[in-house]
Amino acid sequence: MQKINPMKVIDNSRMQRFHIWLIGWLFLVILFDGYDVVIYGASVPLLIQEWGISDVTAGAIGSYTVLGTAVGAVIFGILSDKMGRKNVILFTTFIFSFFTMLSGFANGPTLFIICRIIAGIGLGGVMPNVIALTTEFAPKRIRTALVSFVFCGYSVGALAAALTSRSLLPVAGWEPVYWLAGIPILFIPLLIKDIPESVSFLLRKGKKEEAKKILLKIDPTLKGEIEVVRTTSKEKGSPVTRLFQEKRGFSTAMFWVSCFSAFVLIYSMNTWLPRLMMEAGYDLSSSLLFTAVMQIGAITGTLVFGPLVDKLGFKKVLVPLFFCGAIALALIGFTSSMLIAFVLISVIGAASVGVQNISNAFVSQYYSSDMRSTALGSTMAFGRLGGIAAPTFIGILLSISLQPQYNFAAIASAAVLGGFAMLFVQEKHGQHKLATEQGEQQAKNETKQSKSANIANT
């Protein structure tokens, strides 16, 4: 009977139809995640006008939503180790889709806030599990590129939200923009069919036959009787505690601070960019166009810089991007040229959403599979604290009528903090580096053995 190592099968696999369907569905899930997040920022000016709420209250509503995402990231990041990543993705997709759609029927702030918080729990839970599942099934040589591509879905969804809002808000009001968020509910039966469960989860649960069926889809050349061998045993201790063991503690903290900074950038811009640009002298239609340009920058940045990671390393890409974002934010308040503003906004998109997309791949590869969801969930939960603080903080800044350049400079400080935090991450203690070093050492040993055998034969 042929014994196989499932992780080696996945690492060395070629792109199959299995991978294409999986990546496509996960891309779609994250697309609507991005859509749901951005529609609030697009609709804020109309909600302020219709309900008579202040900038501070509008910012607080955005913060309440992000509070839900922090709770969801923690709860579902941990529960996935018991429920399975597939089940968590299906459940959280339903939650964020249904309650975002329900928000469109709210006739006042109270029901709207309740729906947005519950939707936020789903949004927070789905992302770390999508990252973890993508990381587990992607072939090693293109793993970072595939994870980055899936998270381009967030920017595509955000772009769709900006363009949809620009078309619908002036003629139909804000409600239909939220109703469209219910579309993923229709896809859930197809997600059940086409999204696989994590192989490592199945093996931990003793479901070898299910794991074998998935591996045959990944590598159809596996023939005859095969036995799937577990490569690692489940280590003792809480996955959260283990994030700080084996010299990973400092890097874990730096990942958390970096993610906090990235979410300050993302939620400041997603919630308040249209309003910030209106304060700078642009009308609502032009301001929504800036939101679309920011997402184009995020998509471009992810697709361009994501593949560079495999050649240069994560830190050599992420640290300069953070600092470029800080420079662009510092400059945008001083320009009156719409063309220059478009360029700077696109850089900000690459340095916020784009950076977070690539950082997700970094975190997912830094930790081993049995604590990957917990690592991603806890990192994003801490990051969401930045998302909670940012909308209210910027709302306060707007309420005291500062010059636009000061508002943007305050946001830029988060990019500087994120750049320094990423700079101090210790890559040498990451699982991806250790695995590479072990592989290189094994190759050297095999070469030595081969030379020794040749000499002996001679």
Side-chain angles (χ1 to χ4, degrees), residues 16-280:
Q16 304 288 344
R17 189 169 69 173
F18 167 87
H19 294 100
I20 295 171
W21 278 107
L22 173 63
I23 296 303
W25 284 121
L26 295 181
F27 180 93
L28 188 65
V29 169
I30 295 301
L31 184 152
F32 278 94
D33 184 310
Y35 179 90
D36 287 16
V37 169
V38 170
I39 53 175
Y40 177 67
S43 61
V44 157
L46 288 185
L47 294 177
I48 290 174
Q49 181 180 353
E50 183 171 325
W51 291 339
I53 57 179
S54 66
D55 287 332
V56 175
T57 301
I61 293 174
S63 295
Y64 297 149
T65 303
V66 188
L67 178 61
T69 66
V71 172
V74 172
I75 292 175
F76 290 108
I78 295 172
L79 279 181
S80 67
D81 291 328
K82 297 181 179 180
M83 295 174 56
R85 287 167 190 161
K86 175 179 179 176
N87 291 330
V88 168
I89 290 171
L90 294 172
F91 183 59
T92 51
T93 298
F94 174 80
I95 290 176
F96 79 71
S97 300
F98 179 77
F99 283 95
T100 302
M101 178 182 66
L102 199 60
S103 301
F105 295 95
N107 56 6
T110 302
L111 178 59
F112 185 84
I113 290 171
I114 292 171
C115 290
R116 292 296 289 166
I117 290 174
I118 299 174
I121 293 173
L123 291 168
V126 75
M127 188 172 283
N129 285 285
V130 166
I131 301 169
L133 200 63
T134 306
T135 300
E136 177 162 339
F137 283 113
K140 186 176 181 179
R141 66 186 183 281
I142 54 172
R143 185 164 291 154
T144 301
L146 286 182
V147 173
S148 299
F149 172 78
V150 167
F151 277 85
C152 280
Y154 180 95
S155 299
V156 173
L159 176 61
L163 297 178
T164 301
S165 300
R166 191 167 184 260
S167 301
L168 289 181
L169 289 178
V171 296
W174 60 273
E175 294 91 344
V177 177
Y178 285 82
W179 297 340
L180 290 174
I183 291 175
I185 296 173
L186 303 175
F187 298 150
I188 287 179
L190 297 173
L191 297 178
I192 293 172
K193 176 178 176 291
D194 290 330
I195 292 182
E197 185 52 87
S198 159
V199 170
S200 59
F201 174 81
L202 292 173
L203 294 178
R204 286 200 302 271
K205 296 297 182 180
K207 300 179 179 179
K208 287 190 175 183
E209 289 303 315
E210 290 185 40
K212 188 188 300 184
K213 290 178 182 178
I214 293 172
L215 291 171
L216 287 170
K217 292 180 181 178
I218 294 172
D219 185 358
T221 64
L222 296 173
K223 295 179 180 179
E225 291 292 321
I226 61 173
E227 181 184 354
V228 180
V229 181
R230 285 185 60 177
T231 55
T232 58
S233 58
K234 185 174 178 59
E235 296 189 34
K236 295 181 180 179
S238 164
V240 176
T241 303
R242 290 177 51 224
L243 299 180
F244 294 89
Q245 296 175 348
E246 300 178 6
K247 300 180 181 180
R248 290 185 293 256
F250 184 74
S251 295
T252 294
M254 291 300 98
F255 277 131
W256 288 7
V257 173
S258 172
C259 190
F260 175 92
S261 302
F263 273 80
V264 168
L265 295 174
I266 292 167
Y267 279 87
S268 294
M269 303 304 282
N270 282 344
T271 303
W272 287 115
L273 181 58
R275 185 66 188 275
L276 286 167
M277 299 311 293
M278 289 171 73
E279 288 288 316

Side-chain angles (χ1 to χ4, degrees), residues 240-393:
V240 176
T241 303
R242 290 177 51 224
L243 299 180
F244 294 89
Q245 296 175 348
E246 300 178 6
K247 300 180 181 180
R248 290 185 293 256
F250 184 74
S251 295
T252 294
M254 291 300 98
F255 277 131
W256 288 7
V257 173
S258 172
C259 190
F260 175 92
S261 302
F263 273 80
V264 168
L265 295 174
I266 292 167
Y267 279 87
S268 294
M269 303 304 282
N270 282 344
T271 303
W272 287 115
L273 181 58
R275 185 66 188 275
L276 286 167
M277 299 311 293
M278 289 171 73
E279 288 288 316
Y282 298 92
D283 59 25
L284 177 59
S285 180
S286 297
S287 299
L288 289 172
L289 192 58
F290 279 111
T291 301
V293 170
M294 177 178 159
Q295 303 310 324
I296 292 172
I299 295 168
T300 304
T302 303
L303 294 178
V304 170
F305 294 106
L308 283 179
V309 165
D310 293 322
K311 296 180 179 180
L312 303 177
F314 283 101
K315 289 173 60 174
K316 289 182 179 179
V317 173
L318 291 170
V319 173
L321 270 178
F322 262 125
F323 290 139
C324 286
I327 294 170
L329 280 161
L331 292 176
I332 195 169
F334 293 96
T335 183
S336 57
S337 167
M338 195 163 184
L339 179 60
I340 295 175
F342 278 157
V343 173
L344 293 175
I345 287 290
S346 65
V347 172
I348 294 167
S352 55
V353 180
V355 159
Q356 188 56 37
N357 290 345
I358 300 171
S359 296
N360 290 337
F362 193 3
V363 174
S364 69
Q365 294 182 47
Y366 194 87
Y367 300 91
S368 59
S369 62
D370 58 334
M371 57 177 169
R372 185 170 290 142
S373 289
T374 301
L376 289 162
S378 61
T379 301
M380 289 191 172
F382 192 88
R384 304 283 183 181
L385 297 178
I388 292 168
T392 301
F393 175 64

Side-chain angles (χ1 to χ4, degrees), residues 276-277 279-280 326-336 397-398 401-413:
L276 286 167
M277 299 311 293
E279 288 288 316
I327 294 170
L329 280 161
L331 292 176
I332 195 169
F334 293 96
T335 183
S336 57
L397 289 181
L398 286 168
S401 302
L402 294 174
Q403 292 295 316
Q405 52 264 39
Y406 293 113
N407 295 329
F408 285 111
I411 301 171
S413 63

